[in-house]
Structures are given as structure tokens and as C-alpha cells.
Amino acid sequence: MSATAADPRVTAARKAPKRRMRVSWSDPRFRALVWQFIILGIVGGIVWYLVFNTNKNLAARHIATGFAFLHRVAGIPIGESMISYEPSVDTYGRALWIGVLNTLKVAGIGMVLATILGTLIGIGRLSGNWLMAKLTGFYVEVMRDIPLLLQLLFWYTALQGLPAPRQAWRVAELMDGATFHLFHETFANWQFGSGMLLSNRGSRIPILNWEPADNWILAAFVVGAIGTFLWNGHANRRQEATGIRPKVWPVAFGLLLVLPLAVWAGFGAPLNFEIPTLRGFNFQGGGTISPEYFALLLGLVLYTAGYIAEIVRSGIQAVAQGQWEAAGALGLRRGAILRHIVLPQALRVVIPPMTSQYLNLTKNSSLAVAIGYQDVVSIANTTLNQTGQAVEGIAVIMAVFLTISLSISLFMNWYNAHIALVGR
Amino acid sequence: MNAIVLDKVNKWYGTMHVLRDISLTVATGEKVVVCGPSGSGKSTMIRCINRLETHQEGSIVVDGTELTDDLRSLDTIRREVGMVFQSFNLFPHLTILENCTLAPIWVRKMPKAEAEALAMSYLERVKIPEQAKKYPGQLSGGQQQRVAIARALCMRPKIMLFDEPTSALDPEMIKEVLDTMIGLAQSGMTMVCVTHEMGFARQVADRVVFMDRGEIVESGPPSTLFEAPKTDRLKLFLSQILRGD
């Protein structure tokens, strides 16, 4: 392997000669160079034409360009926002920022939920259980075969079919007698079940009134999380040293669940929910999930999960059967094989198409326009209608999606390189 | 004690009868070579011994434990039986060393340092300790197969199964793998090898078993079997396989 230059049996290695390019159409490198110049010229020409033509048209219509409008008062009514907003005071800039946050809210939560649901369905399709395999297969086909826009309209219409606030469904009342009884016994004091309301003005959920005791419960949970993390490290070291791995899950269960519950009980089990109540024609109090947001999230998650399920299934199936057999022949059990052998390899196959699905989900969230959820596209549309700053409005939409998409891509590419296989 | 006892084992793939009344006893320390034309059921039989395939009739007893649906008997047997595959089946995302220590750590509950020392000793035995930190994709086929042998030995099995270990190798690499197997045979390991390497069979095997169409047609010491085949089927097989030998 390590033949030195002094070895008389080996011909001395020398550098590969440099090949010079001939200025001739028969030289592939010259040919490639010419083509690249031609394409560059065409693209440059198109860009120049677009800019020149736009400027000329804007000048002809006396439209001032620039982003000064972002500082003007918007006056756009916005139904839901994560930050405070007053149409008569706040600017277009703030309105657009709300749109960006709304887009991120649906895309971010959508990606997490779609990944979880898609993974479960993907594994379900590989199940030996006939019913499970058929049902998940049916799910995937239905979700992939129906256009997303249609699904969004379906869910939105379905949510509109819920009764008006005065007749809102109480979740507790939807249960059968026995379940209701159990539910009622458990939560009666807190009026929990009767506080969850479904109506066409959105789903109203009780929210917790934060009290000092809750800080301690949260602190107990954080301490528990740190403790679990440390215990896991301890388990790793113990296993390295003695071969026996101390059980992690009982400790995790104790620290993450029992400890916070004990603290909660120590404070006299306080639980103070703000329960939504009907005042006039609508509800007061509690938190809201708007039907627009809910329909969009539901549609995006269910639709994308169908694709993710197929990616997960193909990822697992891409791991050769021989890997299962070799690990099984060494005495590893099914769970250990999945964890140590199959999933680490499947992950590598899954990441690139998964990135595409995350990008798709984010971009598909712009279909929000169709059902009136005010994402960045919806607010930018209203903005450009009101101000006439079409070029700038479209530029904002493009910049926002480009930023989000590139961020997702960069992160996923980094992760993919991080876990890439060596060799081959 | 007998290491492996197969008694009237039958197996079907759908309507195809792939193993027919296979009865075979392998004594502890015995080396058995199984040969036969492709599709004769030799791989299926050897894969039944550690239950990568399940048999439908008859009984298989390995190291005193009968193979059943019971997961505990499966655990017991797979710890004691090592297997080497035609296509190596190394774990591509783990280093050579990690390939070897995975099962001792997670199945034998061995401390990491001990498992690594054990793995290094076997990697030295198959003559590639310097590759320990590399990944399987960086090794040649012959090296990969020797790692696969070391990986199986790290579980300190009582029995080793070889399923055509040299069939996927380039000719110049076959010898290094066969040499490793010969060394292993000389150490007294109980071995069952499916192979077409007749030289290896002559040198190492106590007994050669010839299979055709799911049956054991003939068996005996390599000299008798190769020099004086009794059946036409074995004669035909030998004439085909020895043409280039």
C-alpha cells in the first residue's frame, strides 16, 4: 500500500499532464465554453428587457417605485395576529410582518404534525396487519389523488357547517353516556369538557390562567428534563463501563411526569382555566383557533402526510433485506435492529425528498388566499390592491418565500451532509 | 453432543416444495460442506438452521435447543450460531470496529472497552486490524468478507454457517477468504459451509453433502464423494463444476 518513491520495483509516479484547450468547435471544452456564453447572454438579455420594460411602464403610469409605502398606515382589517395590530394606526410593514408570522405559524406547526402523522402512516403501510396496511394505503391514495385546493375548500366548508356560537357543540356533549360520565367525574370541578366549544366562529379552547404555582411546576419539569438528560448520559457511561445499561424510561417517567405532578399536588392542585362563555352572539374568554387557520392546517397536514408516508415507507424499504438478516443473525431483536441498523440508514434516503415536502408545504400554505386565512400572500395582495405597488408587493412575497425555503434547504442540506455515508 | 440435528425437515414456498425430508446431523467440531446446483435448496437449508427461514415440518435442534416460534429459543440459538453471507451484509453506516462491537455490546451486554479489545483481536486474526476505523465502503470485497467473519466471531459462536462466502468475490480475493476459513476450521469450530470451492472442501471438510431439487442425494467424506460418485445427478454436477477446476 505504502510504496515509497525509493522502491526500485515501482515506476516513479508523476503528475497528470495539463491539457490545453484548442480554439476549435471540435474541442468539447471550447464548445462548452461557447454555449455557456450564449446562455449567459440570453438570460442577461431577458433580465435587462424585464427591468427596462417595467421601468418604462411605471414611468408612463406615473407610479412611484420604492418601499416608502411600508411606513404608511395600512387600514387592512386582520382577523388573527400573533402580535398587537390596530388597522387605523399600524403600518403596511407591520401588516405584512403579521402575514409572515401567520405563514410561519401554519408552515412550522404543519411540518411537525405532517412529519409525525406521515411517519406513523408510512410505518403502518409496512405493517403485517392486513387492515392496518390497507387503511393506510387507502389514506395515501386518497390524499395524493385529490387536489390540495379542493381539500382545503372541503375542510373549510366542513368547519363552516358547525353550528353558530349560540348552538355551539360542547365537546363533552358529543360523547356517549358512559364516557361522558367518566369525563364529567374527572373534570367536573374544572368545567373542562364543557369549556371546549366547536362552532363556525372557530374552536374555542380553555386556556390556563398562569399562577405563581405554575412557575414552580414548570421549573420542576425543566429540572426533570435536565435530570433525564443527565441520567441518559449516565446510562451510556455505565453501559460502556459495565455492559449493563440502566433503564432510562422509569427515570424519565418519574422526573418528567411524577415530579411536576407532585409539585402541583404540593401546591394544593390549583387549576384555574379561563373558560369561554357565550356573551351575546359570540364567545368571551379562552383561546381561539380560527376556522380558517384550522382548515388550512388540517388540509396541509393531511395532504403532506400522504407524501411523507410514502417517503418513509420507501426509505425503510430501501434498506436491503440483508441488513435485517445480518443483524438478526447476530442475535439483535427487531427493535434493536430498527434503532441501530435500519432507521439510521433509512434516514439518509429520506432526508432529500423530505426537504422537498417541507418546501412544498410552506409554498402550498399560500393557498390560504382561497379560504381567507391571512398569510403573507393574502396580506401582500390586499396591500398591492390598495397601494398599487404591485412590483414591490410581489417582490415581498418572493423574498419571504425565498428566505423561508432557502433556510429550510440550508438546514436540511447541512443535516444530510452531517449524516452522509462514507465511501461508495 | 451433536451441534445440529435436522430431522425430516420440509419447507414449501407456496406450492413449491423446496426442502424434502432433509435429515442431517452435524457433530460438535465437525466441518460439513454443502454443494449442489443452484436452486437445490442448500441456501434455504442453511438459513433454516438459524431461522432466517422457517421450516414447516420436521424438527431442527441446534446446540440442544429446538427451533420454534418461541422468541426466547430464537435468542438463544442466534447467540450461538454465527453466519456469513454471500453479499457480506456489513452495516455501511458503522465503522469496521463498530460493526464488530455492535452485537457484543447490545446482545452480550459487554463493556465497550472489552468489546473493542475482542473485536481487535478477531480483526487481527483475519489480518485487517489497520482497517478498524474505516467504513465498509472503503474496503475491497475480500476485506469486507473477512470483516464479516470477524463480526460473527465476536459473538463467540459455537457454530458458524457460511452461505456461499466466496461467490461474490473477484478471483484474486477468494484465496484470502478461504485461508481465513481454513484457519477457523483448524481451531476446531463447528462449521457448515455452502460453497462450490471443491479445493476447500477436500482440504477442510469431514463430510460433503450433495443436494439437488430439495433433497440430500448423497453424502460422505470428500474423497469418496468426489472420486466415486454413486448417483448420476452427482456425476453430472461434478462434471459441470470441475470443468474449469
Side-chain angles (χ1 to χ4, degrees), chain A residues 179-329:
Chain A
T179 323
F180 176 72
H181 188 68
L182 182 74
F183 201 81
H184 195 71
E185 287 290 294
T186 319
F187 292 107
N189 298 334
W190 310 326
Q191 302 176 307
F192 194 91
S194 55
M196 261 174 94
L197 300 157
L198 302 177
S199 78
N200 60 6
R201 297 271 184 97
S203 309
R204 247 7 231 207
I205 49 171
I207 52 171
L208 190 69
N209 277 339
W210 202 255
E211 287 178 51
D214 292 321
N215 285 327
W216 289 105
I217 297 167
L218 185 69
F221 182 79
V222 171
V223 168
I226 295 171
T228 306
F229 180 75
L230 291 176
W231 179 259
N232 191 46
H234 168 74
N236 286 342
R237 283 189 300 278
R238 281 280 291 181
Q239 187 184 21
E240 273 195 20
T242 66
I244 310 295
R245 185 179 178 81
K247 281 216 173 359
V248 172
W249 70 262
V251 178
F253 179 77
L255 287 176
L256 291 175
L257 202 66
V258 177
L259 182 67
L261 280 178
V263 171
W264 175 60
F267 276 97
L271 203 59
N272 190 356
F273 279 107
E274 188 184 316
I275 308 290
T277 47
L278 188 65
R279 299 251 173 82
F281 291 106
N282 210 337
F283 296 106
Q284 297 288 315
T288 320
I289 304 171
S290 76
E292 291 81 14
Y293 177 76
F294 200 54
L296 183 63
L297 185 70
L298 201 61
L300 285 174
V301 166
L302 295 179
Y303 177 77
T304 312
Y307 286 88
I308 290 182
E310 280 300 90
I311 292 171
V312 168
R313 178 178 71 86
S314 65
I316 291 176
Q317 285 183 329
V319 177
Q321 189 62 27
Q323 295 284 310
W324 286 92
E325 291 180 353

Side-chain angles (χ1 to χ4, degrees), chain A residues 133-154:
Chain A
K134 290 291 169 220
L135 278 178
T136 47
F138 180 73
Y139 175 92
V140 167
E141 289 313 324
V142 168
M143 287 302 158
R144 292 197 308 177
D145 294 352
I146 299 175
L148 176 58
L149 185 58
L150 204 63
Q151 295 193 30
L152 291 178
L153 292 173
F154 171 82

Side-chain angles (χ1 to χ4, degrees), chain A residues 328-391:
Chain A
L330 285 167
L332 274 82
R333 292 199 181 151
R334 203 181 153 77
I337 298 173
L338 259 180
R339 181 177 150 205
H340 295 292
I341 306 299
V342 175
L343 288 182
Q345 293 186 58
L347 197 61
R348 300 184 159 114
V349 185
V350 161
I351 294 296
M354 208 71 134
T355 310
S356 302
Q357 286 311 318
Y358 290 157
L359 296 176
N360 276 347
L361 189 147
T362 308
K363 291 181 294 176
N364 285 341
S365 74
S366 62
L367 288 173
V369 173
I371 55 172
Y373 176 70
Q374 283 168 308
D375 74 327
V376 67
V377 177
S378 165
I379 292 179
N381 269 336
T382 314
T383 304
L384 71 85
N385 276 335
Q386 291 189 1
T387 61
Q389 305 283 350
V391 177

